[in-house]
Amino acid sequence: MSDKPAATAQARNSRLKLIALAVLVIAMTLTVAGSLWLVQKKARQLALPTLHSELWQAYQIHMAMDRLLLASQDLLKGKLVPDDLVVRVQVLRSLTQPLEGQHLFDFLPESRPAAESTLQRVISLSRQWDEQAQWGDAAATRQVAEQAAESLPRLQKPMHEVMVATNISLANELDAERQHLYDYFTGLGWALLGLLIGVSLLVLRLVGNYREARELSRNLTELNQHLEQRVTERTAELAEGQALLKQILDASPSDVVLADSSGKQVYFVNQRLMQRLSLDQASDFSLNRLFCNAREALHFREALLARHRVDDWEGLLAGEPPYWGVVSGRLLEYRGGPAQLIWSYDISLRKGMEQELLVLATTDALTGLSNRHAFMQRAQELLKTAERFDQPCTLLMLDIDHFKQINDTHGHQIGDKVLATLGGLLKKELREVDIIGRLGGEEFAALLAQTDQIDAMQVAERLRASVEAMPLPRANGEQVRLTLSIGLASRHPAEPLEGALGRADAALYKAKSAGRNRVARATN
Ligand SMILES: Nc1nc2c(ncn2[C@@H]2O[C@H](COP(=O)(O)OP(=O)(O)OP(=O)(O)O)[C@@H](O)[C@H]2O)c(=O)[nH]1
């Protein structure tokens, strides 16, 4: 990863070099093209001597002057018609006219003013004669002949110098042109050399770039292969991990579900739960199918959405048969959206044991009635309800008469049977809403719900009579006899249970004192 900036800088460098070389090659190409154009232009100038026609014309002027002189002399002698002279004049004029304003001697090593002025004189005379000598105007032509015959002989020698100067100037100009051509050729050579170097460097750079690109491509291919291999390995590892995780979750004693937060899309339900709920496919799952109670499912869902986690929610879960389970949940992120992970496990065994323990802790083993502690708790709750709704409620204290004697006469085992039989009778005779307990030994208590003292007296009397008439096991050939004394106390407003117990106990004492096998009620 740390090579990435270096590689980027290298790529930028070689791109810049390539651009610089391309610019150099373009510049050199333009230079070569310019040089070629100049060389071609110069060569054409040299190849076409007519470009220097003014110099050649200077030569011809000399010849034309000679011919005009001869023609003038012939006209003056009458050997020539005037119009022929006009032709000669016009020929001379046609040669001098292009030289007007021209600098013929620019290439002389030193100036020759005499030659210059001779040429100007000839040009001026030829112009003047050309204007004078007209077709058909013999007189004017004759005048021109006279002037030419007089002027031209004097100009013949100076005109020779003009020719020499012209010759030198022409030779110099051609030399200069050749020198220029040579210079342009040299420039063209350098430009071509530069172009060659530029192209070579560009080609080298391109080859270098190609090699770098090939190297880079090879590296990339290797990297790609390596990555593909890693991806394949990782995919295999992940698939293996996923399969293992699924195996673990399927074998787990917990039920596991992963669904989106709305519960509409279910991603995973482990095998165990699928079987338990008899689901054909994971998408059939919903919280309503997990919980027996739809309201509980709703409350669990609300708690999970509000707190993002729910731990150890105990509830009755659906199954064949329904069972007690603990459900936990987490709101988490999955596939870019909120999801809920829910797992639960069976606690029916623990619940059963708890239930068993509760029964053991609250039940008297011999009679199956509430033990003292449980009786006190339930009696207190019933008293509270009675207090709240201002209902009557009466407490009975029941005690077997001369139970020591039963034990002593028939044995302890028979005594136990008697106690158990009495417990059964009390359960049978009293209502579900009444609370019955064995407070200890042969002493029992019952709290009669919504029963005033008068009704309670009747119930107590009925109990006493039932016990007296109760068929009891025979022992040692003798019929065991059993009677019951009962003390009765109705609830006083705001009186604690202990107060009522004390008053019922006092009433019981009264019944015992009065001869037993009877019911006595508390007087206060
Ligand atoms: N078989 C048996 N006897 C018990 C049990 N608990 C207490 N006892 C006996 O119950 C008897 C109670 O005797 P007492 O307190 O003298 O009372 P009583 O003989 O019934 O005399 P009164 O109550 O005055 O009529 C004792 O002998 C205890 O040993 C028990 O669980 N099983």
Side-chain angles (χ1 to χ4, degrees):
M1 291 293 281
S2 58
D3 289 346
K4 200 177 166 192
T8 313
Q10 198 183 347
R12 197 172 46 236
N13 261 354
S14 62
R15 207 166 41 241
L16 283 176
K17 279 182 194 165
L18 204 63
I19 291 169
L21 282 172
V23 169
L24 178 68
V25 167
I26 290 168
M28 292 316 295
T29 307
L30 289 175
T31 310
V32 166
S35 302
L36 265 177
W37 179 72
L38 285 173
V39 166
Q40 190 265 353
K41 193 176 153 203
K42 267 310 156 203
R44 205 168 60 145
Q45 272 181 357
L46 283 172
L48 297 172
T50 48
L51 283 177
H52 309 281
S53 58
E54 63 278 4
L55 289 168
W56 298 108
Q57 274 171 317
Y59 278 107
Q60 293 193 18
I61 288 170
H62 182 246
M63 304 290 293
M65 283 169 65
D66 280 353
R67 285 194 197 104
L68 180 60
L69 178 59
L70 280 176
S72 299
Q73 286 168 346
D74 284 348
L75 182 72
L76 292 176
K77 284 177 190 166
K79 290 181 187 172
L80 192 75
V81 289
D83 284 350
D84 284 348
L85 188 77
V86 172
V87 172
R88 295 292 168 202
V89 168
Q90 284 178 347
V91 168
L92 180 64
R93 180 56 189 155
S94 71
L95 291 170
T96 59
Q97 194 170 18
L99 300 183
E100 277 187 38
Q102 296 284 340
H103 300 281
L104 292 187
F105 307 118
D106 284 353
F107 289 92
L108 288 176
E110 55 194 24
S111 65
R112 297 210 180 195
E116 188 75 41
S117 69
T118 300
L119 187 60
Q120 291 308 319
R121 170 90 181 129
V122 170
I123 291 170
S124 147
L125 282 173
S126 69
R127 188 192 318 122
Q128 181 194 324
W129 291 337
D130 185 50
E131 287 166 4
Q132 251 181 289
Q134 299 294 322
W135 292 95
D137 191 348
T141 308
R142 191 173 180 84
Q143 275 183 357
V144 169
E146 283 168 1
Q147 286 171 21
E150 193 204 337
S151 314
L152 290 177
R154 275 183 281 136
L155 285 169
Q156 273 181 328
K157 203 177 167 192
M159 198 56 199
H160 184 72
E161 194 188 344
V162 168
M163 279 177 62
V164 170
T166 306
N167 199 17
I168 294 169
S169 183
L170 179 61
N172 282 351
E173 188 178 0
L174 285 174
D175 281 350
E177 293 288 341
R178 273 194 295 272
Q179 185 61 45
H180 280 148
L181 187 61
Y182 173 77
D183 291 344
Y184 290 154
F185 259 115
T186 309
L188 177 63
W190 283 115
L192 276 172
L193 183 65
L195 182 62
L196 188 68
I197 292 170
V199 168
S200 304
L201 288 174
L202 188 63
V203 168
L204 283 175
R205 190 65 253 163
L206 283 171
V207 169
N209 277 11
Y210 170 71
R211 282 189 180 153
E212 277 171 20
R214 212 173 48 179
E215 180 74 21
L216 204 66
S217 163
R218 201 169 53 235
N219 287 347
L220 273 176
T221 309
E222 277 174 19
L223 197 68
N224 231 11
Q225 282 169 351
H226 180 68
L227 274 176
E228 270 175 21
Q229 195 183 339
R230 284 290 300 143
V231 167
T232 311
E233 282 171 11
R234 288 291 297 146
T235 309
E237 278 170 24
L238 275 176
E240 202 178 312
Q242 268 184 348
L244 183 67
L245 184 64
K246 189 174 176 315
Q247 250 181 359
I248 291 169
L249 289 175
D250 283 341
S252 155
S254 301
D255 303 327
V256 183
V257 178
L258 179 65
D260 73 338
S261 62
S262 69
K264 284 184 184 142
Q265 194 174 358
V266 182
Y267 303 117
F268 176 78
V269 176
N270 72 341
Q271 204 56 38
R272 183 189 165 84
L273 187 58
M274 295 275 293
Q275 284 166 359
R276 188 194 293 285
L277 298 182
S278 308
L279 301 178
D280 293 330
Q281 50 196 13
S283 56
D284 292 341
F285 174 84
S286 73
L287 274 180
N288 284 351
R289 294 193 68 163
L290 179 64
F291 286 93
C292 277
N293 185 329
R295 284 178 64 83
E296 191 164 17
L298 182 68
H299 288 158
F300 177 87
R301 188 175 138 66
E302 284 172 353
L304 182 59
L305 290 178
R307 304 202 297 266
H308 288 205
R309 63 179 293 163
V310 172
D311 285 307
D312 302 333
W313 179 294
E314 284 189 16
L316 196 61
L317 302 185
E320 284 300 330
Y323 66 101
W324 277 96
V326 160
V327 189
S328 299
R330 294 285 184 279
L331 219 57
L332 41 80
E333 191 88 359
Y334 183 71
R335 292 188 184 172
Q340 45 183 333
L341 175 68
I342 296 164
W343 67 97
S344 67
Y345 55 91
D346 190 345
I347 57 161
S348 49
L349 196 67
R350 197 193 84 195
K351 271 279 174 193
M353 284 163 69
E354 275 177 9
Q355 199 62 39
E356 225 169 279
L357 274 176
L358 187 69
V359 170
L360 282 174
T362 57
T363 312
D364 171 56
L366 189 63
T367 60
L369 300 176
S370 292
N371 62 16
R372 183 182 188 88
H373 178 73
F375 174 83
M376 296 296 278
Q377 257 191 348
R378 291 171 191 168
Q380 244 149 6
E381 279 165 23
L382 183 56
L383 271 183
K384 248 190 251 171
T385 312
E387 181 77 34
R388 188 172 339 134
F389 298 107
D390 194 23
Q391 291 167 341
C393 184
T394 304
L395 183 69
L396 309 182
M397 291 291 284
L398 310 104
D399 191 285
I400 300 172
D401 297 330
H402 303 302
F403 189 59
K404 183 174 179 324
Q405 208 176 318
I406 294 174
N407 270 338
D408 293 348
T409 312
H410 305 291
H412 213 266
Q413 254 186 332
I414 294 298
D416 279 357
K417 271 189 186 165
V418 168
L419 288 172
T421 311
L422 177 61
L425 181 133
L426 291 176
K427 261 194 273 184
K428 199 173 110 218
E429 291 291 329
L430 297 177
R431 301 164 303 173
E432 283 273 316
V433 289
D434 299 330
I435 295 166
I436 316 161
R438 183 183 171 208
L439 300 188
E442 84 297 6
E443 192 181 32
F444 294 81
L447 184 59
L448 309 182
Q450 298 180 26
T451 310
D452 60 16
Q453 197 169 31
I454 297 165
D455 291 343
M457 279 297 287
Q458 287 178 8
V459 173
E461 186 53 42
R462 195 184 73 227
L463 278 178
R464 188 204 60 73
S466 299
V467 169
E468 192 175 18
M470 188 170 62
L472 284 168
R474 296 173 71 86
N476 305 327
E478 281 183 48
Q479 178 69 48
V480 178
R481 286 187 49 76
L482 183 71
T483 58
L484 200 61
S485 296
I486 302 174
L488 183 150
S490 284
R491 176 183 83 81
H492 284 174
E495 183 187 32
L497 176 63
E498 287 74 16
L501 275 171
R503 289 190 295 112
D505 215 26
L508 175 63
Y509 181 74
K510 215 162 65 176
K512 289 271 183 189
S513 307
R516 295 183 172 78
N517 191 21
R518 66 195 62 220
V519 179
R521 60 171 175 229
T523 48
N524 54 353

